[in-house]
Amino acid sequence: MTASSPMDCAEVSPAVHSMGAVWTGLHDVPSEWPGCAVTMGVFDGFHRGHTALVRRVRERAAEHGLPSALLTFDPHPLTVTRPERVPRQLVSLEERIRLAHDLGIDVVLVLPFTAALAGLAADEFIGRVLGHTLRARAVVVGENFRFGRGGGGDAVLLRRVGRRLGFAVDAVPLVAHAGRTCSSTLIRSCLAAGDLKGVEELLGRPWRTPVSVPPPSSGGTASPAAKADGTAKR
């Protein structure tokens, strides 16, 4: 991938880079990257179900002796594919990154969700992103996760292609809490009803109104790729 790839150059505040390794496109993946265990999704809300994905991918990373990675998309895919149905934002991109690092993820890869990415066939996405660039050895997704052009990719396709590319796939069951399946849609319903207690039960943490982190007034940070180099050696 080159810097002009449609999967490069997400807009991420420089302030988030101090939290850990952040890649804002495939161009940031170091050439000497050893491979990883990766979980992917929008992680909208970062609720208990998403936390379960992070726990599982960290387990797989430890088994392989490799870094753990979280791949997320920005903006929300519906912004491109169905703009009339874009949901209320539950957490900012900066907050997603912070939560991922707080839970022990080594590197967060933010892929800009563009029309070009939306049009990429699922098997091509697997080969280019998970296989060739990230060199995944384990992939963790929610059991209902869909990706690729027209939502054509799922855990079944991941497993089939993964056998050829050399990675295993975990499709993690949906997480229920207090008799309700944790989902971003349900969290929005609770917010609309003013049920903040329900929101926090589904999140597994206090609710915070999404606020983007402003860039620092002065000073610089190390490049995402440089930070990733150090992460990969852990």
Side-chain angles (χ1 to χ4, degrees):
M1 294 286 180
T2 66
S4 61
S5 165
M7 286 181 273
D8 283 340
C9 303
E11 293 294 327
V12 180
S13 167
V16 304
H17 294 311
S18 63
M19 302 173 189
V22 182
W23 295 337
T24 58
L26 298 182
H27 65 295
D28 275 343
V29 182
S31 59
E32 66 274 21
W33 180 243
C36 62
V38 58
T39 183
M40 61 179 179
V42 179
F43 293 89
D44 184 24
F46 229 115
H47 52 66
R48 291 178 185 271
H50 297 141
T51 300
L53 296 179
V54 169
R55 283 198 301 266
R56 183 69 60 86
V57 81
R58 290 190 64 206
E59 291 170 359
R60 295 293 177 255
E63 291 169 3
H64 289 277
L66 291 170
S68 60
L70 183 146
L71 187 163
T72 189
F73 305 95
D74 189 73
H76 193 289
L78 287 178
T79 303
V80 174
T81 60
R82 298 289 297 274
E84 74 281 3
R85 295 182 57 187
V86 177
R88 171 180 179 174
Q89 183 183 43
L90 295 177
V91 295
S92 67
L93 175 59
E94 290 84 1
E95 183 74 353
R96 266 183 278 165
I97 293 170
R98 184 189 69 78
L99 288 166
H101 286 139
D102 284 352
L103 290 170
I105 288 292
D106 292 310
V107 59
V108 176
L109 168 60
V110 182
L111 284 188
F113 199 89
T114 62
L117 181 57
L120 195 66
D123 56 352
E124 187 175 1
F125 178 91
I126 297 169
R128 292 172 65 184
V129 178
L130 302 180
H132 176 72
T133 305
L134 289 179
R135 303 168 195 169
R137 290 297 170 264
V139 176
V140 176
V141 294
E143 64 179 5
N144 63 344
F145 180 66
R146 305 300 294 250
F147 66 100
R149 185 170 58 232
D154 57 11
V156 174
L157 179 64
L158 277 170
R159 288 194 177 101
R160 184 166 69 245
V161 179
R163 283 193 290 270
R164 174 167 55 84
L165 297 181
F167 63 77
V169 175
D170 283 13
V172 178
L174 301 180
V175 172
H177 180 75
R180 299 191 293 179
T181 299
C182 298
S183 73
S184 300
T185 299
L186 180 55
I187 291 169
R188 291 189 187 92
S189 295
C190 290
L191 285 171
D195 180 12
L196 293 184
K197 180 180 179 182
V199 169
E200 294 185 345
E201 288 177 348
L202 294 166
L203 291 174
R205 67 176 189 280
W207 162 252
R208 291 176 57 180
T209 301
V211 177
S212 293
V213 178
S217 57
S218 62
T221 59
S223 72
K227 288 181 177 291
D229 285 344
T231 300
K233 296 173 184 175
R234 291 181 190 170

